[in-house]
Structures are given as C-alpha cells and as structure tokens.
Amino acid sequence: MANEQQQLRFDSVSKFVKTHLQLYHIYRFLFIVIGLSAGQVVVGLYLKKYPITVPASHFSAYAPIAFSTLLPFSSTNGSTPYYTILSRKEQRFIDHNMTDEELLQMAVKVRRSVSKQYVPKVAFMFLTKGPLPFAPLWEKFFKDHEGLYSVYLHSHPSYEETFPENSVFYGRRIPSQPVYWGSATMIDAERRLLANALLDISNQRFVLLSESCIPLFNFATIYNYLITSNLSFVGSFDDPRYTGRGRYNPKMSPAINITEWRKGSQWFEVHRDLALNIVSDTKYYSIFKNYCLPPCYMDEHYIPTLVNILYTEFNSNRSITWVDWSRGGPHPGIFGRDNITVEFLNHIRHDSKCTYNKGYTISLCHLFARKFLPDALEPLLKIAPPLLGFNP
C-alpha cells in the first residue's frame, strides 16, 4: 500500500515537471520568434533612416545582370526619399547667348551640389542636319520616364522645326553652328552638345546620336545599362591601314606619337568625368585642328586618340551604337522599311558577345543602331511596342 502511494506521488511530480518543461519550451520558442520579429522591425527602421548603398559594380562579376527593371532611386513621381529629380524648368542655359569659349568654360565650372543628391540622368544628344524623322519612336521610348533623361538637339541654324509643347524635344534645341562633314566643325558640335548637357548637374551619362539612330531596347534597359556601368563606351583601336595610321601627321609629334594614334566610331557614350575632360581639352584639340585635315577626319580620330592617351582605363573600348560596315566603302549600310523585321532587329540586339564592367560576358552589346531611312518609321512603330517593350 505504501509503495503504491509512493508510486502515485512520484507519477504526480513527474507529470508536473513534464508539464512545466513543455511550457518552458513553448515560452522559449515564442520569445525567440518575438525577438526575431522585433529585430527585423528595428533593422528595417534603421535602414530606412540610414540606408546602405552598395555600388552596382560590386555585383557585376557575381550575379546575373538584369537591366529591364529601373533602379530603386529612379522614381518618376518627382522625388524620392533620398534623391531629388531636377525638373525641366531647372535645366537652365538651354537657350543662351554664350560663345563657344564661354560655354566650355561654364561647363567645366559646374560641379555636383553638396547639399542634394540628384537622380542621375542620361543625356541624349542628337546631332542632326535638320529634321528628326524618328521623333515619334523616341517619344514612345521616353514616355513615362520624366526626370531620368535630358534631351539636346544640335541642328543647322537655318533649320526651323516646331515641336508641340508636350513633346520631349520641345525647347531642347541648343544654340548651334553649321557643321560640315569631315571638318573640325563636327567635333565643335559634339563639344557644344556635351558642354550644354554638362550644365545640368544631374546628367551623369552622355550619348551622342544622329537623326538616323533608333533605340534597340526600352528606356529602363538602356538607362540601367549606362548608369550601372563604371566605364565609358568609346570605340578606340589601332588601324594599321592607310585609313588608320595612314592619316597620322608626323607634325603632331611629340605630343601625339603614331603608336598612340587611334580610330573609332563617332557615336560615343561617356560618363561625366570623361565628358568634362573632352570639353576642357585645349592641348590635343588644337593639334588635331591644325594637323588632322582631309583625308584625316577629326570625328574618327580625336576622341578615340584622346581617350587612348589619357583615359584608357576608364573606357570599355567599344561602341554601343550598331553600324553595318560589312559592305565596305566610306559610308555604312543604310536600312529602309523593307529591312525592318523582328528577325533583323533581334540579330542586332542579341547576336554579339562583349564584356560588361570588365568582368561579365554578355550578349547585350548594342543599345542603339544606325543608319535608318525615314520610311523605316512606320514598321518600327508597329514592331517596337511588343518587341522592345515600349508603351503602346
């Protein structure tokens, strides 16, 4: 009997201990869950107040590259928590009476404001003879991305074209001078475009385009491709032929040696630091203007050689504007409405291999293409929305 009572007492105590042990584990589990949740809330609030920014270049060699989604700071509502979008009204100096010399000096003086962080913009600089036949296509390209781009037009002073007030090209024509093919006036126009664009402190990337250029991807893809790149895109190569080294003038020595002489596409894309150095250069510009005369063409040699001498480590050494030179001759291939097909555009868009940020091999190598005839506009407008992802 005594043994039974003792056993009952032992079972009762054992049951009590087990119950409390279970409750202890339950309470401990709940405490951990509540602690983790509270920690996430605290960390989230901290990061919201003190954001950590990691340069995009840190990821380029380790993670797949996705350009189709706009970066976090690229809001189109006029502002973001940590960045300010420079409104179109704040883009001063687009209409001014400065001389080229005054303009270049002003551009060099402009520096990023220390009191604000501006959303970085891409400056699209159109060097044209007259009309812009693909304006409707570009309008679709820019649609709904106000605050992430700037547009600049350089055309012959005698040409007059009016754009509606709601156009991205309205009021974007800079004071221009006549441009003659093969002469120094071509480089003068490029520097004039760069200088005007540099006056907007939020412009960080600068693309030179012609009236026959078209975009090959939507705005988000091109914007991210350029903004996250740590290099400029200037074609610069040593051409041993007569049309390369054969154009070198020995009078350029010793400032420019023939081993430093380079050739490349006129249609460049540069970051802000390189743009500043191009417009501030007087040494090499003067040498080229005096000694690079036809059959030497400044637009094919000046910037490629300048970049090779001074800034080669900051250049990808390739152009992002596709041009067809396969037919030979002094001018590239031209494409009209009969050439515009999905297969043709996809060939340009994806049938290449290149290095991005010095460490990632990709097939997205060209963002723009030329030369396209005005009659290509109609089929392009039909193909662009579904193929390139434009807003219809």
Side-chain angles (χ1 to χ4, degrees):
M1 184 68 178
N3 289 337
E4 291 180 358
Q5 290 178 346
Q6 186 176 2
Q7 182 65 38
L8 288 171
R9 192 180 299 114
F10 175 80
D11 292 342
S12 178
V13 172
S14 178
K15 185 176 181 180
F16 175 81
V17 171
K18 288 181 179 179
T19 301
H20 278 74
L21 283 174
Q22 290 175 347
L23 290 173
Y24 168 76
H25 288 302
I26 292 172
Y27 290 144
R28 186 179 181 184
F29 175 75
L30 291 174
F31 178 79
I32 292 172
V33 172
I34 294 172
L36 289 173
S37 300
Q40 287 180 333
V41 172
V42 172
V43 172
L45 292 173
Y46 178 84
L47 290 177
K48 184 175 182 180
K49 187 174 182 180
Y50 305 103
I52 299 174
T53 302
V54 180
S57 59
H58 288 192
F59 297 100
S60 61
Y62 307 103
I65 300 176
F67 299 112
S68 58
T69 303
L70 282 173
L71 297 172
F73 52 69
S74 55
S75 167
T76 56
N77 61 3
S79 65
T80 70
Y82 311 109
Y83 295 83
T84 299
I85 288 180
L86 197 66
S87 69
R88 187 176 294 183
K89 291 182 180 179
E90 295 177 276
Q91 297 171 14
R92 300 175 300 152
F93 303 115
I94 196 70
D95 186 17
H96 56 76
N97 58 1
M98 288 185 283
T99 65
D100 279 355
E101 182 179 359
E102 292 170 337
L103 173 64
L104 296 176
Q105 291 175 353
M106 178 68 74
V108 173
K109 293 178 181 177
V110 174
R111 290 291 182 269
R112 177 178 290 277
S113 170
V114 297
S115 61
K116 291 182 180 180
Q117 282 186 294
Y118 292 100
V119 168
K121 294 194 301 187
V122 177
F124 292 82
M125 308 178 302
F126 292 85
L127 178 56
T128 73
K129 299 177 182 177
L132 196 61
F134 295 105
L137 182 68
W138 286 104
E139 295 278 3
K140 290 182 177 293
F141 172 80
F142 289 119
K143 185 180 178 182
D144 297 332
H145 296 101
E146 175 71 26
L148 302 179
Y149 65 87
S150 301
V151 172
Y152 301 88
L153 297 175
H154 186 296
S155 56
H156 195 281
S158 64
Y159 178 74
E160 295 185 7
E161 180 175 357
T162 57
F163 293 98
E165 290 189 15
N166 62 346
S167 169
V168 298
F169 299 103
Y170 178 78
R172 304 310 299 169
R173 180 175 173 177
I174 68 170
S176 307
Q177 297 295 329
V179 175
Y180 303 101
W181 184 82
S183 73
T185 59
M186 189 76 76
I187 294 297
D188 293 337
E190 294 175 11
R191 281 159 53 103
R192 200 174 293 126
L193 280 164
L194 282 172
N196 276 277
L198 283 166
L199 296 177
D200 183 340
I201 59 177
S202 59
N203 285 330
Q204 294 299 303
R205 309 292 303 205
F206 303 78
V207 186
L208 182 67
L209 301 161
S210 75
E211 66 268 38
S212 66
C213 285
I214 65 167
L216 293 174
F217 295 90
N218 60 28
F219 182 89
T221 299
I222 291 178
Y223 178 87
N224 286 345
Y225 192 102
L226 299 179
I227 292 297
T228 59
S229 173
N230 50 34
L231 300 173
S232 293
F233 296 94
V234 179
S236 177
F237 64 97
D238 183 9
D239 184 354
R241 300 174 302 171
Y242 173 77
T243 54
R245 286 198 176 198
R247 295 173 176 176
Y248 172 78
N249 189 332
K251 293 181 180 180
M252 294 181 172
S253 180
I256 304 174
N257 191 284
I258 191 170
T259 59
E260 300 170 317
W261 182 254
R262 292 294 183 270
K263 182 179 180 180
S265 171
Q266 172 187 3
W267 311 103
F268 60 76
E269 191 282 335
V270 298
H271 57 63
R272 188 173 182 90
D273 289 342
L274 182 49
L276 282 166
N277 284 300
I278 291 173
V279 302
S280 64
D281 170 55
T282 55
K283 175 183 177 179
Y284 297 100
Y285 172 81
S286 298
I287 294 173
F288 267 86
K289 190 170 185 179
N290 289 329
Y291 300 118
C292 182
L293 305 172
C296 177
Y297 305 106
M298 277 187 71
D299 57 285
E300 294 183 7
H301 295 281
Y302 168 64
I303 292 180
T305 300
L306 181 70
V307 170
N308 178 58
I309 294 174
L310 302 178
Y311 316 106
T312 184
E313 69 272 23
F314 302 114
N315 183 35
S316 65
N317 199 26
R318 63 183 176 90
S319 173
I320 53 173
T321 299
W322 180 87
V323 183
D324 180 19
W325 289 101
S326 64
R327 307 175 190 183
H331 302 289
I334 299 176
F335 304 94
R337 63 179 298 124
D338 294 337
N339 302 110
I340 306 304
T341 64
V342 171
E343 293 73 21
F344 171 66
L345 292 178
N346 276 335
H347 164 71
I348 301 174
R349 281 154 41 95
H350 300 299
D351 286 0
S352 300
K353 294 292 181 183
C354 58
T355 300
Y356 183 80
N357 279 351
K358 290 186 175 180
Y360 215 106
T361 301
I362 59 175
S363 61
L364 201 165
C365 303
H366 298 108
L367 306 182
F368 312 97
R370 66 187 301 271
K371 286 182 150 182
F372 289 84
L373 295 171
D375 67 359
L377 176 62
E378 183 180 352
L380 283 170
L381 288 175
K382 293 179 180 178
I383 291 177
L387 179 64
L388 310 185
F390 290 1
N391 290 317

